[in-house]
Structure formats: structure tokens, C-alpha cells
Amino acid sequence: MTVSYNKLWKKLIDNNMMKKDLREAAGVTTNVMAKMGKNEHVSTEVLCKICEVLNCEIDDIIDIKKEY
């Protein structure tokens, strides 16, 4: 399965937030943000922190695609 965070990046634009702002507000590391920038998997704990900051659900910030 592959993961895409394109929804998250679009949501940041809509909220006039920079990745740095999200990182600080959610309390996640630069390494986690870098992994997300490469569409790599991160923990559900991180996703929940981000959703709390953005007041959204996980499916609002992530797409999971099956590989065939």
C-alpha cells in the first residue's frame, strides 16, 4: 500500500499554514515531516496530533492506495 499526504498539503494552503507552523503546533519532529514529504508511513499518533490541530479527520489528510 502506498500513502499520499497531498490532501494534507492542500489543507495547509487552505488554512494559510506552513509546514513549520503545523510541525510546531502538533509537536512533531522535522524527521516526521520529511517522511510525510516523501509519502512515507508515519504513526497514527502523529496523524491524530495533526488532525487535532487542523480540526479534521484522518481521511481528510491522507489517501491510501492499494498496489496491484
Side-chain angles (χ1 to χ4, degrees):
M1 291 188 162
T2 60
V3 63
S4 171
Y5 298 100
N6 287 340
K7 285 182 175 180
L8 171 61
W9 310 136
K10 289 176 186 173
K11 193 161 193 64
L12 289 181
I13 291 168
D14 292 343
N15 290 340
N16 286 331
M17 285 184 80
M18 296 174 59
K19 291 180 183 180
K20 176 183 166 239
D21 301 328
L22 177 64
R23 182 180 57 79
E24 291 172 355
V28 297
T29 65
T30 54
N31 289 341
V32 167
M33 294 301 290
K35 287 178 82 170
M36 293 173 73
K38 298 176 190 174
N39 287 325
E40 295 178 2
H41 294 275
V42 298
S43 73
T44 53
E45 180 182 1
V46 167
L47 297 175
C48 288
K49 287 179 181 180
I50 290 170
C51 287
E52 188 174 319
V53 169
L54 297 175
N55 193 30
C56 66
E57 302 295 326
I58 288 178
D59 63 343
D60 294 330
I61 63 169
I62 187 173
D63 275 324
I64 298 174
K65 299 173 185 171
K66 292 182 181 179
E67 295 176 354
Y68 295 100

